[in-house]
Amino acid sequence: MLRYYIHAVNVGGSVLTAFQLHIVEIDHNPQNPAFPKKAVDVYFPPEAVNDFPVAMQVSKKHGIVFLVTKYGFIHLYDLESGACVYMNRISGETIFVTADHEASNGIIGVNKRGQVLSVSVDETTIIPYILQTLNNTELAYKLASRANLPGADELYVQRYQQLFASAQYGEAAKVAASSPRVCIISY
């Protein structure tokens, strides 16, 4: 089982200028490949230049980091690559507490006005969103494999065909085995 230490760091010293999300593997199993440390910039929109992270939770199923900011923004980052998957404002008020929400594999939070907010990954649309909006086929492929999500069937078939045609049968078999929803078996 992999465990990660994740924190946001102010890279501007005493003046808030920029934050980075650091993703570091802890408790490494020597039988597995080492996870490279990641440090990614946390983007804040122009209307929230003084914003900063106040909470983080990780969806174990999806490998998605939910980062919540003081000004009510939610940032979703891929744990493996550090890529920002989504960002939007979810509250006009400060969200002061968050927790894992196991039923949805997301988070719940409470803002200053007492509103309870729930944020989760829409499993039917996240892969098409990553493919079409972010134009990141590798992220879509890996997230679909990791969380058994629909929407990447064509990617699996293309990768399988490519590996099979180049006589990389072992790698093609790995793609078939990791294919969510068994899309290659019918190929």
Side-chain angles (χ1 to χ4, degrees), residues 70-88:
K70 180 179 191 304
Y71 289 179
F73 284 87
I74 184 85
H75 299 244
L76 276 62
Y77 290 91
D78 177 58
L79 183 63
E80 187 178 296
S81 67
C84 183
V85 177
Y86 183 75
M87 186 208 70
N88 205 347

Side-chain angles (χ1 to χ4, degrees), residues 20-91:
Q20 288 186 329
L21 175 67
H22 289 233
I23 306 168
V24 181
E25 180 181 19
I26 57 172
D27 197 21
H28 176 69
N29 180 347
Q31 296 172 341
N32 296 330
F35 179 84
K37 295 177 182 179
K38 305 276 187 216
V40 295
D41 292 332
V42 176
Y43 169 77
F44 296 103
E47 68 270 17
V49 292
N50 294 322
D51 202 4
F52 57 90
V54 293
M56 282 188 285
Q57 305 289 333
V58 177
S59 166
K60 291 176 181 74
K61 177 182 180 185
H62 302 110
I64 296 288
V65 177
F66 292 85
L67 183 144
V68 178
T69 71
K70 180 179 191 304
Y71 289 179
F73 284 87
I74 184 85
H75 299 244
L76 276 62
Y77 290 91
D78 177 58
L79 183 63
E80 187 178 296
S81 67
C84 183
V85 177
Y86 183 75
M87 186 208 70
N88 205 347
R89 182 171 244 159
I90 59 171
S91 175

Side-chain angles (χ1 to χ4, degrees), residues 107-125:
I107 66 168
I108 58 172
V110 180
N111 70 11
K112 272 185 3 180
R113 292 179 59 198
Q115 295 172 314
V116 178
L117 307 164
S118 175
V119 179
S120 62
V121 170
D122 183 341
E123 294 185 345
T124 61
T125 61

Side-chain angles (χ1 to χ4, degrees), residues 71-161:
Y71 289 179
F73 284 87
I74 184 85
H75 299 244
L76 276 62
Y77 290 91
D78 177 58
L79 183 63
E80 187 178 296
S81 67
C84 183
V85 177
Y86 183 75
M87 186 208 70
N88 205 347
R89 182 171 244 159
I90 59 171
S91 175
E93 301 289 331
T94 300
I95 299 169
F96 65 89
V97 66
T98 65
D100 288 329
H101 188 247
E102 291 182 24
S104 68
N105 293 299
I107 66 168
I108 58 172
V110 180
N111 70 11
K112 272 185 3 180
R113 292 179 59 198
Q115 295 172 314
V116 178
L117 307 164
S118 175
V119 179
S120 62
V121 170
D122 183 341
E123 294 185 345
T124 61
T125 61
I126 189 165
I127 299 303
Y129 174 82
I130 292 170
L131 288 170
Q132 296 163 9
T133 305
L134 303 181
N135 197 25
N136 191 334
T137 55
E138 192 62 23
L139 175 59
Y141 179 84
K142 287 182 177 180
L143 181 57
S145 293
R146 186 170 60 230
N148 194 27
L149 299 176
D153 295 355
E154 289 181 29
L155 294 176
Y156 281 90
V157 171
Q158 288 171 358
R159 191 165 288 190
Y160 175 83
Q161 289 173 338

